[in-house]
Amino acid sequence: MRYSCLHSLFLGLAFCASICPSIGAEQAAGDPTEYTWKPMADWYRPDLRITKLTARTVEHSELRLESGDDPRWSSPDWDDSDWVVIERNRVPLNEGVFWLRLRVRTTGPDEQVPSLINIGGGISAWDCYWDGVLISSSGTPGNSRQTEIGGMSSARVELSPEMAEAGQHVVAIRLSTFRSARAGARFAQLSFYTLPLEKFRALDMKLNLLPAMGVGAMLTIGVAVFLMWLLADRRLILALLAALCLGSALLITVVTVPIMWAYPVSWMPFQIVARISLIVIVSSLLLAAAVVHLYPSWWRSLLVVPLIVQTAIASYCLPLGINVLSPVLWRVAFISALLFVGWAVWRRREGSRLILVGIVATCGLFEWDPKHFEHSNFVFAFLPTLVGLISAIGLRLRSERLHARDTKLMAARLEIELLKKSLQPHFLMNTLTALSQVIEEKPAAAVRLIDDLAVGFRSLARFSGEKQVSIGEELALCRAHLGVMSARTDLNWSLEAEGIDASASVPPALFLTLIENGFSHQRPRKDATTFTLRAERTSDGVRYIFLSPGTITEDTARVSGGTGLRYVCARLEESFHDAWKLTQGAVAGGWETVIELREAARSGART
């Protein structure tokens, strides 16, 4: 019995002794000095292209943080088991000097670590150690904003073959973040990539080539359209399109600079503000260009509304950060443009379908990859919208050209009709009869009548080849014609002009035609034989008010327009395009015709 008890006691002690090592091993397995290993790409956003260059056999550990400053923390043998584990995008801001540590290893047999180290993310000042050796410095970390010296936004370091040998390596970073804050950010971010050199160079070349193509394409289109606006046609849509292309080129440049070149971290807030401002400007110009082309009658002051709305959205959403704000601004612009253009399509506006197709295609390409829309994808994604706008503008220019040609031909035909009317046998017979009678009774008046006839026919012959004449010459022709009519009707016809600039230009026989319409469609009265022409300045041009005296006859064709009115409208359209307006109607004492001309059109006509 005693032997059995002692035997059991010894067996129990032996069992305890055998399980103690396994318990210790379990405790070691749960010790915080054991690290969490993941392929490098898994520690960052899945949409990053740069992390996909590195094979998944290259693994990084979690990131550990310790406040304070101790040079011994750069040693690969330092025990960081009690350091705080943080995410790479939650590095503290506005902190004094502190340290970060992580580890890098390869899991393939005899596989070396990729030789290129890329450090960035916006931290302002750091010293980076690889296995205890300082490999990169940027600025000077400090315990206050005054003592910290900001460095560059990123750095690339190529490891020597000895440093990149297979195995596990320790990365220690000494830093401070007083100058790292982005607009609306609460944390800084550390980007630490181990990259294969050749693959990185190939991606870098590709990422730089596409933005360079975009800048070149947008600059070329913008300069070409601006020269068209400057030298050929001063229409607003061309100016907006030129500004849209030049602003797009500047936006691509601002977005690309941080990727292509390292720059001082202190520039980062200005780069973000510039990027947001250019997104607001470009997206507002896109909406304004579509509205101006499809709704030319809208008030031009409304064009600032998209800019105001976009600015308000940018100010309100600024704390969300540029990565959230940028897609919001673009989506607001695209949705607004689609609503306006969709309404124009429903109203069957010329060119609206082309613009709609272009904007829809751009929206699809934007939603496919919003992150790279302003960088490598812009030249391809924005191209459908530009093609739609330019095609719609081209269609309108072609229509206007055909319309101008038809107007010119119509003006020429109507001019011939008016000349035939002035030279018709009935007119000549009545005029010669009146002349013979005046010669017998009033020789002096006969001389004036002959002079008036000569002035009238001479002016008509000279005006037939002119597009513009001065109002002074036009009034002389009108008064000569009234002199002839005075001899024919035994009434003293005259023309009074008020506020007239005799050097201003108008189409030939413009007011003469209105006088002839008065004789054709009104009965004269002996107490009303004076035609009046009055000029009034407006905010953007001049208004001519012409009053033809006499009793209005019941002639419905006068409102819709006969040969004379068609000639007047054709001549105005030929000279001033859409920058004119004609209204007419009966008033007390006769028939009033009002012609409004915009100043820019009158200046262009004289040129």
Side-chain angles (χ1 to χ4, degrees), residues 278-292:
L278 286 169
I279 292 174
V280 170
I281 291 172
V282 171
S283 57
S284 301
L285 285 172
L286 168 63
L287 181 57
V291 170
V292 165

Side-chain angles (χ1 to χ4, degrees), residues 465-601:
E466 298 291 336
K467 182 178 178 180
Q468 297 283 327
V469 297
S470 67
I471 292 185
E473 294 174 314
E474 173 73 10
L475 295 183
L477 173 62
C478 293
R479 291 190 172 104
H481 184 71
L482 290 176
V484 175
M485 296 304 297
S486 297
R488 287 182 52 186
T489 60
D490 289 330
L491 295 175
N492 187 23
W493 294 102
S494 61
L495 172 63
E496 292 184 357
E498 301 176 7
I500 300 298
D501 178 8
S503 63
S505 299
V506 293
L510 181 71
F511 299 117
L512 174 64
T513 305
L514 298 180
I515 290 175
E516 290 181 342
N517 280 350
F519 285 120
S520 301
H521 300 286
Q522 294 171 235
R523 291 193 300 270
R525 292 174 11 208
K526 292 184 178 181
D527 60 336
T529 59
T530 301
F531 292 84
T532 60
L533 175 63
R534 187 173 75 254
E536 296 179 352
R537 299 296 303 178
T538 62
S539 59
D540 60 348
V542 63
R543 179 187 299 115
Y544 294 107
I545 304 171
F546 186 86
L547 178 62
S548 175
T551 302
I552 308 300
T553 59
E554 295 296 330
D555 189 353
T556 57
R558 186 171 188 183
V559 177
S560 59
T563 302
L565 184 60
R566 291 201 305 272
Y567 171 80
V568 169
C569 294
R571 280 296 199 177
L572 289 172
E573 180 65 23
E574 179 188 14
S575 298
F576 304 112
H577 304 296
D578 295 329
W580 65 275
K581 181 180 179 183
L582 185 147
T583 56
Q584 60 176 352
V587 295
W591 187 270
E592 185 179 79
T593 303
V594 179
I595 299 174
E596 298 182 38
L597 305 177
R598 289 208 294 268
E599 186 64 33

Side-chain angles (χ1 to χ4, degrees), residues 25-44:
E26 291 179 0
Q27 290 178 344
D31 194 273
T33 56
E34 287 296 318
Y35 297 93
T36 303
W37 295 95
K38 292 182 183 179
M40 184 189 74
D42 293 352
W43 290 107
Y44 300 95

Side-chain angles (χ1 to χ4, degrees), residues 7-220:
H7 183 69
S8 299
L9 179 62
F10 281 114
L11 288 177
L13 291 175
F15 175 77
C16 292
S18 64
I19 65 172
C20 282
S22 62
I23 295 176
E26 291 179 0
Q27 290 178 344
D31 194 273
T33 56
E34 287 296 318
Y35 297 93
T36 303
W37 295 95
K38 292 182 183 179
M40 184 189 74
D42 293 352
W43 290 107
Y44 300 95
R45 298 196 317 268
D47 59 335
L48 288 178
R49 299 180 186 179
I50 191 171
T51 59
K52 295 180 174 62
L53 301 178
T54 302
R56 296 185 65 81
T57 54
V58 178
E59 295 181 336
H60 289 193
S61 72
E62 75 279 8
L63 188 66
R64 294 174 178 257
L65 177 147
E66 177 69 13
S67 299
D69 189 14
D70 190 337
R72 295 176 298 171
W73 293 348
S74 64
S75 171
D77 299 327
W78 184 263
D79 180 14
D80 54 14
S81 59
D82 58 344
W83 287 28
V84 179
V85 177
I86 64 170
E87 297 294 333
R88 283 160 169 75
N89 60 356
R90 299 185 73 85
V91 176
L93 279 177
N94 299 318
E95 293 285 337
V97 177
F98 61 98
W99 286 71
L100 299 174
R101 284 170 63 98
L102 62 93
R103 283 165 169 76
V104 179
R105 73 178 184 184
T106 56
T107 58
D110 299 326
E111 181 183 10
Q112 286 194 321
V113 173
S115 61
L116 183 65
I117 304 297
N118 187 292
I119 308 169
I123 55 176
S124 53
W126 79 84
D127 298 323
C128 181
Y129 297 85
W130 180 273
D131 290 336
V133 178
L134 180 66
I135 61 172
S136 176
S137 293
S138 178
T140 302
N143 286 309
S144 67
R145 188 176 182 84
Q146 290 72 28
T147 58
E148 177 186 281
I149 300 176
M152 305 303 287
S153 59
S154 62
R156 295 167 188 168
V157 183
E158 189 173 354
L159 298 176
S160 64
E162 294 77 16
M163 289 183 173
E165 63 184 6
Q168 184 178 132
H169 303 273
V170 177
V171 178
I173 303 175
R174 175 179 177 265
L175 71 160
S176 61
T177 55
F178 288 101
R179 303 178 187 273
S180 302
R182 300 191 178 202
R186 292 182 297 172
F187 298 96
Q189 176 178 334
L190 172 68
S191 299
F192 186 88
Y193 308 134
T194 51
L195 305 166
L197 183 59
E198 296 302 323
K199 290 184 178 180
F200 175 79
R201 286 176 177 172
L203 177 63
D204 189 53
M205 184 180 299
K206 178 182 177 181
L207 292 179
N208 294 340
L209 176 62
L210 293 177
M213 291 173 56
V215 172
M218 292 299 167
L219 278 178
T220 302

